[in-house]
Structures are given as structure tokens and as C-alpha cells.
Amino acid sequence: MKLVVVTAGLTQPSSTRLLADRLAEATRRRLVGAAGVRVVELRDLAVDIANNLVTGFPGARLREVIEAVTEADGLIAVTPTFSGSYSGLFKSFFDVLDNTALAGTPVLVAATGGTPRHSLVLEHALRPLFAYLRAVVVPTAVYAASEDWGGGGDAFTDGLGERIDRAAGELAGLLAGRAPRQAGDEDEVVPFEEQLAALRPLR
């Protein structure tokens, strides 16, 4: 089972990378059997991504990362929040992927930011992005504001640790029901017309 973590943190150390590592470890603990975890730091690929956007062709290093991401059994994607949305580097990386490359892939989305007011980035930016890429996004997305680190929840919300555990459990559950990908495997995409026909009542 191959789990790939994509993190778009720009600083070092990075709270975005810290959140990504905690989500990956929580998911790995819940998977039955061995799971290989690979972390991709987009900061190290910024120039490669920009070159791909202007030339239309990925360099060798970026091509290898794209193959790792698109061949993964599951994906954890974490971005810092800039101006109420995902970072430009994060979006640019997923812009260079084919829009069917993640079809059917279970994805856990997460973000970090300085204030809880930006938490809606998960629902108005990240979830629609991966829906467009035809990925299967787990129900619980995780947002970590500065004040979440080391703190618990309140009467109305879970703490960061609880949210991480719940999201990791959901991703592990999807992965447990998914056979590991083999070389050359392609996910079958059911045309929208067939999905609609299946939902229509029998007459």
C-alpha cells in the first residue's frame, strides 16, 4: 500500500509539514499490513513546476514525483492558507496533473493558517479542487490554526488531535477496501449518463 503526502509549506520548520506528518502517522497506524509513506515537499520543486507550466513538459525530477502521486493508493494533501485560499505553489502542482490522474483515489485534505477564520478554505477551495480531479475526498478535512497546536477542543469542537484521528481513520477505512495499485492499473470512470441512469427509479 502506497501513501503519498504532498505538503506545500514554504518555511522550515513548517507547521504545514508538521500537520502532514501527524496525519500520515495517524493513517499509517490504522492500516492493516505494511504501508509505504512518501512525503513530497513542493517547496523543493517550485522551479520545476514553474518550468512545466510555461513549457508544457515536466523535467525528470518533477515527472518522477507526478508518477508517485498518480500511482499512489492514497493521498494526503496539505497547504498553507494565503489570502483565504490554497497557496499558489500547491495549486500549480495540481494544475500540471491530468484531470483524470487522481480518479477514484482516496484523498485527505488539510490546511494550516494563522487564524480559525480561514478554515472554510477546506470547503470552498480544497474540496472542489479534488472533486474536479475526480478524487474521493474523505468526509473530515483538517484545519490547524496557530492556536490549535497543543490545545484541546471546546464544548462545540474537537481538538486538533481528535480531528487528525478521525480524518486518518476515514482515509485508512477507504484504503482498507481498496486493492493496492499495480503497474498499468487504471481506475474505471463511470460516465455521468450511466450514473444518472442508475439513480432513476424503475418504471
Side-chain angles (χ1 to χ4, degrees), residues 102-120:
L102 296 180
T105 301
V107 177
L108 191 168
V109 296
T112 57
T115 169
R117 289 179 297 174
H118 290 310
S119 61
L120 285 177

Side-chain angles (χ1 to χ4, degrees), residues 62-151:
L62 180 58
R63 185 185 307 112
E64 189 274 330
V65 169
I66 291 173
E67 290 175 356
V69 168
T70 57
E71 293 173 3
D73 297 296
L75 183 67
I76 296 174
V78 191
T79 179
T81 304
F82 293 140
S83 302
S85 189
Y86 35 57
S87 74
L89 179 60
F90 182 87
K91 179 62 162 58
S92 294
F93 173 73
F94 287 100
D95 280 346
V96 304
L97 301 184
D98 184 88
N99 67 350
T100 63
L102 296 180
T105 301
V107 177
L108 191 168
V109 296
T112 57
T115 169
R117 289 179 297 174
H118 290 310
S119 61
L120 285 177
V121 65
L122 297 168
E123 303 303 326
H124 72 64
L126 284 169
R127 203 176 289 278
L129 169 63
F130 287 97
Y132 172 76
L133 295 173
R134 306 182 190 182
V136 179
V137 184
V138 303
T140 300
V142 180
Y143 180 83
S146 299
E147 63 194 56
D148 286 321
W149 298 102

Side-chain angles (χ1 to χ4, degrees), residues 175-189:
L175 290 172
R178 177 189 178 97
R181 287 194 181 187
Q182 304 296 324
D185 282 356
E186 295 183 1
D187 290 298
E188 180 181 358
V189 179

Side-chain angles (χ1 to χ4, degrees), residues 26-62:
T27 303
R28 188 193 61 78
R29 288 199 311 266
R30 285 163 176 76
L31 290 173
V32 178
V37 178
R38 174 173 178 178
V39 178
V40 174
E41 288 270 14
L42 295 184
R43 177 184 63 236
D44 300 332
L45 296 165
V47 174
D48 303 80
I49 293 169
N51 286 336
N52 188 172
L53 289 172
V54 298
T55 66
F57 299 98
R61 186 167 65 157
L62 180 58

